[in-house]
Amino acid sequence: ESLRARPSSAALLKLFSLVSGPDIELRRSAALALGGFDRDLALPELMTAFGAEMEPVTRGFLLIAIGEQGGEVARSFLIDVLRRRDATVRPWAALGLGILTRGSDDQLAKDALRVLGKVARSQEAAGAYWIGSGLARDLQAVEPIAKILSGAADPRQRTYAATALALIGDERAHAALAARATSEGSASVRVAIARSLSYFGRREDAAL
């Protein structure tokens, strides 16, 4: 994985051989490393490897790397996975799309995360969409995620929501976290809210 820090043609060829090789741990590491290589060279190989890969976590790592690559082709690929592929990889695609969008302000990607997240069937999948929207810094997602923080019955959902609001990082997100900090009944969620508030770096939150 450290090869991404000093990309070279020799390293790229080695990673190409590993990402489709027999060793699952090396496939996973090669996938993550390729996320940092030149888009024109690495992205086609990552998409091909995803199509051939059967192991769920490795497929997820490939989607994360595709998100790191960025650009319109990667965005279209990830949205297609969100819409059409099996449920096991949709949370990974949501995270990949959030990573892709964090550095690009891609409105189409933000809209896809927000709209498709509304129909996510499992709590874990929904959480990935919220975290994806947080990574994307989607300001339009603040209000619906804040409602989850204050009203969701499952503490895990409230924890995902708190983390997503911290990642978005705007004033409304901060206000929602601060308001919930004093009324949250779950100790684990209070910890998540405290951690999320710390990301803002405000001295006045120390008491909370």
Side-chain angles (χ1 to χ4, degrees):
E1 290 173 41
S2 64
L3 291 174
R4 65 182 291 150
R6 294 181 64 86
S8 66
S9 57
L12 189 66
L13 291 174
K14 180 63 174 177
L15 291 170
F16 282 172
S17 69
L18 294 175
V19 79
S20 57
D23 188 310
I24 189 171
E25 295 295 342
L26 291 178
R27 293 204 306 275
R28 291 175 178 176
S29 291
L32 294 174
L34 284 169
F37 277 72
D38 179 83
R39 180 188 305 164
D40 292 338
L41 298 174
L43 182 57
E45 187 71 21
L46 287 165
M47 294 190 294
T48 299
F50 177 80
E53 182 60 60
M54 300 299 293
E55 197 279 321
V57 175
T58 310
R59 298 182 85 203
F61 284 7
L62 287 162
L63 292 172
I64 293 294
I66 289 168
E68 287 186 301
Q69 288 285 297
E72 294 182 8
V73 173
R75 181 238 286 153
S76 297
F77 186 89
L78 291 169
I79 291 176
D80 181 68
V81 172
L82 287 177
R83 287 176 173 164
R84 303 187 183 186
R85 306 285 177 148
D86 64 85
T88 61
V89 294
R90 287 180 195 144
W92 292 99
L95 294 173
L97 200 57
I99 291 168
L100 178 148
T101 310
R102 194 164 182 83
S104 68
D105 197 31
D106 188 320
Q107 192 60 48
L108 286 175
K110 292 181 182 181
D111 293 343
L113 283 167
R114 199 177 336 104
V115 172
L116 296 173
K118 292 179 181 178
V119 297
R121 295 183 179 180
S122 72
Q123 294 174 347
E124 288 76 11
Y129 283 91
W130 303 331
I131 297 296
S133 289
L135 287 165
R137 293 193 178 104
D138 183 7
L139 298 180
Q140 295 184 52
V142 171
E143 184 175 348
I145 293 176
K147 289 180 179 178
I148 294 159
L149 177 65
S150 63
D154 191 323
R156 290 176 298 173
Q157 289 189 312
R158 301 199 300 276
T159 296
Y160 293 141
T163 303
L165 290 171
L167 288 166
I168 294 173
D170 83 329
E171 190 62 41
R172 293 173 302 144
H174 179 272
L177 289 163
R180 186 65 185 177
T182 56
S183 60
E184 175 56 53
S186 164
S188 63
V189 181
R190 287 200 301 273
V191 170
I193 292 172
R195 183 186 65 236
S196 297
L197 284 169
S198 75
Y199 294 159
F200 290 84
R202 301 184 181 184
R203 294 174 64 88
E204 61 269 25
D205 291 332
L208 288 173

